[in-house]
Amino acid sequence: MGLQPYLILAAVLFCIGLFGVLTRRNAIGILLGIELMLNAVNVNLVAIARYAADPAGLVFTLFTISITVAEVAVGLAIVILIFRVRRTVEADHLNLLKG
Amino acid sequence: MIDAGTLALAALGLPFGAFVLLAVVAPLRRAGRAAGALSVAAVGGSLLAALILWRTFPEAGADTVELAWSWLPAEGGALATVGVLVDSVAAVMLVLVALVSFLVQLYSLGYLEDETAPALGRYFAYHSLFAFSMIGLVLASNFLQMFIFWELVGLCSYLLIGFWYAKPEAARAAVKAFWVTKAGDLGFILGIVLLWAQAGTFGFSELFKMADDKTLPLGGLSLIMFLIYLGAVGKSAQFPLHVWLPDAMEGPTPVSALIHAATMVAAGVYLVTRAYPLFLQTPDVLVLIGWVGAFSALLAATLGLVQADIKRVLAYSTVSQLGYMMAALGAGAVGAGFFHLLTHGLFKALLFLGAGAVIHAVGTNDIWKMGRLFGAMPQTGIVFLVGTLALAGIWPFAGFFSKDAILAGVWEGGLTVPFLMLALTVFLTAFYMFRVVFVVFFATGHAEGHPHDPPLVMGGPLWTLAGLTAGVGILFAVGGGGEEAHGPSWISPLSLGLALAGIAFAWLTYQRRAVSAEMLARRVRPLYVAALRKFWLDDLYGGIYRGVILGLSWVVGWVDRYLVDGLVNLASAWTMRGGDRLRRIQTGRAQDYLYGVAFGLLLVIVWSYWH
């Protein structure tokens, strides 16, 4: 099996994630979408590492996974704080940046 | 033996030193009379230097003495020089300027004794500046330097006319004098610059040498000399720019005597005299100068007939006499014109100072509020009479000889119509001056208060000037001969006869009342009304100012307000509206921004794919 199916899988995964990020109104859902996009990147990294026979891609993937964990932890903490203050996590209501 | 250059520099430097001291050392200036003493001493030193220079000058060797320092450095040599140029004309003029300045400053000490000390200090600071500027103008060795001093004397004139600046008329008159003379000066500087562009130098000596060698480019020279003459028109109050001089009488009387009779207004005549070798290259301009001069003389004389203000009569007579000088220059009688400048400087200063003594004693300028003053102030009466006889051109006073020389010169120059105008003016001059003499000193009338002769500090200058006026004339009467070749022999009797007729007519009208002045005025009613309205010249200028200049300003204002500002306002309005529109895409929702990012990314990908 060549490289292409992996890349297609990753692209589809990325698009699903992006769709989730753009359409979900719940902050938790948006975080999940981001997770999907990041994992699409991981799939790409692993596939290309394998294709190019270069273990550096695998090392990067490990880094990405661990950093993603931290990111989700921070993101969830922020969401909880926002919920405490605003009593909502609906993205539509969080529009303080409106010009 | 001090050489001529040093003497000239001393004459120039002393008043300047006095001015700087008075300007910088405020306590000295506020001391009033001490400031006056310093100023008088400085100009007295100038007078001494000028006298020595004048007496020793012809023996000093060369015809002219010139000191020059280069100035305005530029590539390929200095652009101009500063220096002093002394020749016989400058030496005599220098004596006149220093002498009249000295006498007038002395006289001012008495005339302005009621002023507060700071005002007196200011007055003498201006006077010192004026003496410096005028002497610098006389000694200037090139056009550029002359122009600078020319403007400086204009500034002093402005400052001194407006000396009583709290009086609205004085302030207006000062501004008017400044503006009107500036109109002429605009031509002057244009002429200088054009001349420089043609000949490559400002220096008188170089220019005269070029004129002598016929290497001066003649193309456009007529225009250049006409423009330079415009400066003289403004300064010497020639028609049509004479309107400022009568108004300038709002200044203190000694100022009128010094600046607006004897020295500064003669600067225009001096300029033409100085640049005469250049004017000789353009005969058409000279003819114009002659005509304008004669016309100014006649016009001002008619205006002088109807004035009730003693100083205004003298002011119009100044315009008239300056017209004589210009007419002489225009006709080629340059010696006669300059001679009249000198004698006029003496007797007109005398007349103004005499009028000042009368005004000082009576407290008004209106001749109809004076009368029978001869009994109360005989000294003033005598010196005023001397001045009047000289101005009217009666033998053997100084004015007779210079006026005769001018009439002869104009006749010889072939300007017949201007000659007739000037001859008529002789009659009018005698008439209006003796009208003043009879009304003020002899005819019935009642003056306020107890008029008396002025104190010595004022009387001294009066007698000095009267002595000089009579003395110069008697010197000529005994020694015989003016400076110019004499014209036909009938000219002297003619001018003397006309002057005597004028005096007799004035006597009949204002002393004996055999001829009614009212009836005379009715006979020539249109002329009388016109003269009262100053031939509508002031109205015309006012109309031009209001109609043309204000109209133009209105148009320019409209363009600025609606076109220029409009463009700026349009740009800012569009920017604001654009910003208002754009601000709606800033929703504040993170997801919308992400849409933007994703969409942009998509565009970049598609774009990179296509290329």
Side-chain angles (χ1 to χ4, degrees):
Chain A
M1 218 156 46
L3 183 60
Q4 208 167 20
Y6 295 103
L7 293 186
I8 291 172
L9 170 70
V12 169
L13 203 56
F14 184 86
C15 287
I16 292 169
L18 184 61
F19 182 78
V21 167
L22 293 181
T23 53
R24 303 294 295 195
R25 289 293 174 251
N26 192 306
I28 309 287
I30 292 170
L31 279 178
L32 288 177
I34 291 172
E35 281 305 301
L36 280 181
M37 287 158 76
L38 284 166
N39 278 314
V41 174
N42 285 344
V43 170
N44 265 359
L45 279 171
V46 173
I48 292 170
R50 186 65 195 261
Y51 179 76
D54 183 357
L58 301 176
V59 177
F60 264 110
T61 312
L62 283 177
F63 271 114
T64 318
I65 290 169
S66 51
I67 290 169
T68 308
V69 171
E71 179 257 321
V72 167
V74 172
L76 277 176
I78 291 173
V79 168
I80 288 167
L81 272 176
I82 288 174
F83 183 76
R84 280 193 188 159
V85 176
R86 306 282 304 254
R87 287 277 141 203
T88 176
V89 287
E90 287 292 301
D92 283 358
H93 298 157
L94 305 176
N95 59 354
L96 282 178
L97 279 177
K98 186 174 162 61
Chain B
M1 194 69 230
I2 317 167
D3 69 272
T6 316
L7 281 170
L9 285 180
L12 184 63
L14 279 168
F16 183 65
F19 166 68
V20 170
L21 267 181
L22 291 181
V24 173
V25 187
L28 180 62
R29 186 174 68 242
R30 298 211 184 92
R33 297 194 78 80
L38 173 70
S39 180
V40 171
V43 78
S46 279
L47 175 60
L48 200 65
L51 280 172
I52 298 172
L53 179 61
W54 176 54
R55 291 312 306 169
T56 62
F57 180 66
E59 286 85 38
D63 255 5
T64 58
V65 174
E66 185 165 2
L67 301 179
W69 293 270
S70 49
W71 181 46
L72 291 182
E75 279 175 50
L79 209 56
T81 56
V82 283
V84 293
L85 174 68
V86 187
D87 57 9
S88 50
V89 172
V92 179
M93 187 76 184
L94 185 62
V95 172
L96 175 77
V97 169
L99 175 72
V100 180
S101 293
F102 175 70
L103 292 176
V104 164
Q105 290 198 12
L106 204 59
Y107 178 94
S108 302
L109 280 176
Y111 189 81
L112 291 173
E113 63 189 351
D114 299 334
E115 292 293 323
T116 59
L120 204 61
R122 185 163 57 87
Y123 177 82
F124 278 105
Y126 292 163
H127 255 304
S128 286
L129 179 62
F130 174 77
F132 160 68
S133 319
M134 193 65 210
I135 290 173
L137 195 160
V138 170
L139 293 174
S141 66
N142 59 63
F143 270 120
L144 193 62
Q145 192 184 346
M146 193 176 202
F147 181 76
I148 292 169
F149 284 111
W150 183 272
E151 291 302 320
L152 270 176
V153 289
L155 170 72
C156 293
S157 160
Y158 164 80
L159 290 171
L160 284 167
I161 295 170
F163 175 65
W164 288 311
Y165 54 78
K167 213 165 72 167
E169 306 92 60
R172 278 179 65 99
V175 172
K176 181 173 175 185
F178 201 74
W179 272 108
V180 175
T181 51
K182 281 307 147 281
D185 294 350
L186 199 63
F188 189 18
I189 191 163
L190 274 177
I192 292 175
V193 172
L194 284 176
L195 185 64
W196 181 77
Q198 287 251 333
T201 176
F202 293 111
F204 289 130
S205 313
E206 290 93 331
L207 286 167
F208 296 165
K209 197 164 173 311
M210 289 169 87
D212 262 1
D213 304 345
K214 312 246 177 268
T215 52
L216 193 67
L218 288 177
L221 194 64
S222 288
L223 175 69
I224 291 172
M225 294 325 284
F226 172 72
L227 286 171
I228 290 179
Y229 167 61
L230 270 187
V233 169
K235 204 59 117 198
S236 282
Q238 296 288 289
F239 176 82
L241 295 183
H242 64 274
V243 292
W244 66 272
L245 190 57
D247 287 13
M249 297 301 127
E250 293 294 342
T253 309
V255 170
S256 312
L258 174 61
I259 300 185
H260 306 117
T263 57
M264 187 195 82
V265 288
V269 181
Y270 181 74
L271 167 67
V272 178
T273 312
R274 185 55 127 177
Y276 208 69
L278 301 179
F279 278 103
L280 273 180
Q281 310 291 316
T282 57
D284 39 349
V285 176
L286 277 181
V287 169
L288 177 78
I289 293 177
W291 274 86
V292 171
F295 184 68
S296 304
L298 183 60
L299 183 88
T302 54
L303 287 167
L305 295 175
V306 298
Q307 301 300 319
D309 180 329
I310 185 167
K311 286 181 70 184
R312 277 179 178 263
V313 177
L314 291 176
Y316 280 119
S317 110
T318 305
V319 175
S320 177
Q321 300 304 310
L322 290 166
Y324 268 99
M325 298 170 207
M326 284 295 196
L329 296 177
V334 59
F338 188 64
F339 182 36
H340 196 55
L341 192 169
L342 298 175
T343 56
H344 172 261
L346 291 176
F347 65 67
K348 189 50 70 65
L350 168 64
L351 281 172
F352 263 111
L353 295 185
V358 171
I359 294 167
H360 195 60
V362 183
T364 173
N365 284 6
D366 191 342
I367 56 173
W368 303 112
K369 290 182 182 158
M370 305 171 188
R372 283 195 189 284
L373 286 176
F374 196 81
M377 30 199 325
Q379 291 192 32
T380 312
I382 290 171
V383 295
F384 198 86
L385 203 58
V386 168
T388 310
L389 287 170
L391 175 55
I394 301 297
W395 192 88
F397 293 99
F400 170 75
F401 297 98
S402 51
K403 202 173 269 189
D404 237 30
I406 287 180
L407 287 171
V410 172
W411 178 259
E412 298 272 288
L415 299 173
T416 313
V417 179
F419 173 80
L420 293 176
M421 290 187 193
L422 293 179
L424 179 57
T425 310
V426 171
F427 171 77
L428 293 175
T429 308
F431 180 73
Y432 69 67
M433 278 317 294
F434 272 89
R435 166 177 174 261
V436 170
V437 167
F438 286 129
V439 169
V440 171
F441 287 105
F442 296 105
T444 52
H446 180 67
E448 308 274 324
H450 299 283
H452 54 84
D453 269 324
L456 186 65
V457 69
M458 289 163 74
L462 281 174
W463 280 107
T464 311
L465 284 169
L468 282 170
T469 303
V472 169
I474 289 165
L475 210 65
F476 271 98
V478 175
E483 307 199 349
E484 286 294 289
H486 281 295
S489 56
W490 47 265
I491 283 189
S492 294
L494 173 76
S495 83
L496 199 57
L498 283 169
L500 288 174
I503 296 172
F505 199 49
W507 181 72
L508 282 175
T509 314
Y510 293 101
Q511 184 68 22
R512 291 295 302 272
R513 313 248 174 210
V515 183
S516 157
E518 288 76 28
M519 197 220 28
L520 271 181
R522 263 202 308 283
R523 278 285 164 75
V524 290
R525 182 151 186 82
L527 195 61
Y528 177 71
V529 174
L532 269 188
R533 301 291 305 151
K534 303 177 200 165
F535 291 100
W536 295 283
L537 271 177
D538 272 344
D539 299 312
L540 177 70
Y541 293 155
I544 287 174
Y545 173 70
R546 274 187 291 275
V548 178
I549 296 182
L550 286 190
L552 189 70
S553 313
W554 186 85
V555 170
V556 170
W558 187 89
V559 166
D560 186 55
R561 201 168 302 145
Y562 293 102
L563 282 185
V564 178
D565 280 10
L567 281 176
V568 174
N569 287 347
L570 205 68
S572 74
W574 275 101
T575 309
M576 286 185 61
R577 284 182 63 169
D580 207 41
R581 293 267 167 83
L582 278 174
R583 133 172 193 262
R584 290 188 200 160
I585 67 170
Q586 206 76 359
T587 56
R589 288 201 299 256
Q591 280 165 319
D592 290 348
Y593 302 153
L594 268 177
Y595 264 123
V597 171
F599 189 67
L601 187 68
L602 189 67
L603 280 183
V604 169
I605 289 168
V606 168
W607 183 77
S608 63
Y609 182 74
W610 281 98
H611 284 267

